[in-house]
Amino acid sequence: MIYRNEIKHVITPGDKAAICAGMRAIAQLDPHAREKGHYRIRSLYFDNLYDKALMEKIDGVSEREKFRIRYYDGDLSLIHLEKKVKRGGLGYKISETISQEEAQKIVSGDTDWMAVSGRGLLIELYSKMKSQCLRPQTIVDYDRIPFVYGPGNVRVTIDENIRTGLRGTDFLNPDCITIPAAQNTIILEVKWDEFLPGIIRRAVQVKGRRSTAFSKYGVCRMYD
């Protein structure tokens, strides 16, 4: 598995405007965002009774993992189960497409079928739901502006309008009630493989902004 570099910054609306203008001149919008220039992400994160994923993030544990189910722009025809692994400032993601019916079963606690699914990520999540008591925990919604740049396999994203749902069972209802979290917070994320091209580094540079370990999941857990 190839680890990717990742940095985050909390930025201002002015920073956002400048970065978007610079990135439009040198990079491409992710194909999934070309019609509107952005898309809406909804994720359902898993944690256990002791908030293992949350506490490892807060405590800055170097090597950690988290599971989530995710779909985009309310489209339930394409749903992903994802496992994200972090080691220091590096990370990688494993993804498995699941159906709406499978997602609903997981959300509802019907999980025995996962053990015999023959699909590695589903089997791993099932095992950890049994051994670590992982359960669907918190809905996290936000809008994303995504840019891609070929050299270095760079991905630059700007996330805002973070909202949370208080009932994980509502995850597959695109119209479920959510509430604002981290109001007016805008997050810049930059990911790349072996090198970050200088042209991208200059385009995303924001003066006076330090890298941060901001967690959208962590912020949304404040509203549990």
Side-chain angles (χ1 to χ4, degrees):
M1 189 60 60
I2 299 176
Y3 279 86
R4 284 166 58 78
N5 296 273
E6 177 181 330
I7 57 172
K8 297 180 183 181
H9 295 280
V10 177
I11 61 174
T12 68
D15 295 330
K16 171 192 166 184
I19 291 168
C20 285
M23 291 301 298
R24 289 191 189 102
I26 60 175
Q28 295 181 328
L29 274 171
D30 182 301
H32 296 97
R34 283 178 181 167
E35 184 176 341
K36 298 186 298 182
H38 64 88
Y39 48 70
R40 187 75 169 166
I41 296 176
R42 167 164 291 178
S43 300
L44 177 63
Y45 285 85
F46 290 72
D47 214 331
N48 69 7
L49 297 174
Y50 304 101
D51 295 328
K52 177 177 182 289
L54 177 63
M55 298 311 299
E56 287 182 347
K57 177 66 176 180
I58 291 173
D59 294 340
V61 175
S62 177
E63 189 162 352
R64 58 188 186 272
E65 66 180 25
K66 59 187 175 186
F67 289 86
R68 66 193 178 202
I69 304 175
R70 171 172 287 190
Y71 62 94
Y72 301 84
D73 279 334
D75 181 6
L76 296 174
S77 68
L78 183 62
I79 304 174
H80 297 286
L81 168 64
E82 298 178 344
K83 171 188 172 183
K84 190 171 183 181
V85 177
K86 294 295 294 291
R87 179 180 291 170
L90 302 174
Y92 70 85
K93 182 174 68 177
I94 301 173
S95 181
E96 172 86 47
T97 300
I98 60 175
S99 68
Q100 181 177 348
E101 180 183 8
E102 290 171 335
Q104 183 59 58
K105 285 182 177 180
I106 295 172
V107 170
S108 301
D110 177 4
T111 61
D112 288 346
W113 61 273
M114 298 166 66
V116 294
S117 66
R119 295 145 71 189
L121 194 56
L122 280 166
I123 294 171
E124 182 181 357
L125 176 58
Y126 173 80
S127 173
K128 290 178 178 176
M129 291 179 79
K130 293 300 183 181
S131 64
Q132 300 180 13
C133 296
L134 284 185
R135 294 292 182 270
Q137 179 68 47
T138 301
I139 295 172
V140 178
D141 287 350
Y142 53 93
D143 293 323
R144 168 164 285 180
I145 303 173
F147 296 95
V148 292
Y149 187 80
N153 190 22
V154 177
R155 186 171 180 83
V156 175
T157 58
I158 296 174
D159 298 336
E160 59 185 341
N161 301 322
I162 303 169
R163 302 181 66 87
T164 185
L166 301 182
R167 286 170 43 116
T169 52
D170 290 337
F171 173 65
L172 294 172
N173 175 10
D175 299 319
C176 80
I177 296 174
T178 60
I179 60 174
Q183 285 185 291
N184 305 316
T185 300
I186 306 173
I187 306 299
L188 167 69
E189 296 188 16
V190 185
K191 299 178 183 177
W192 69 96
D193 288 347
E194 288 82 7
F195 69 98
L196 180 63
I199 192 171
I200 297 294
R201 190 182 299 276
R202 290 189 291 273
V204 300
Q205 191 171 33
V206 284
K207 294 182 179 179
R209 308 279 185 268
R210 294 185 176 181
S211 60
T212 178
F214 184 92
S215 167
K216 291 183 282 287
Y217 169 62
V219 167
C220 289
R221 282 298 309 276
M222 293 172 59
Y223 296 85
D224 282 2

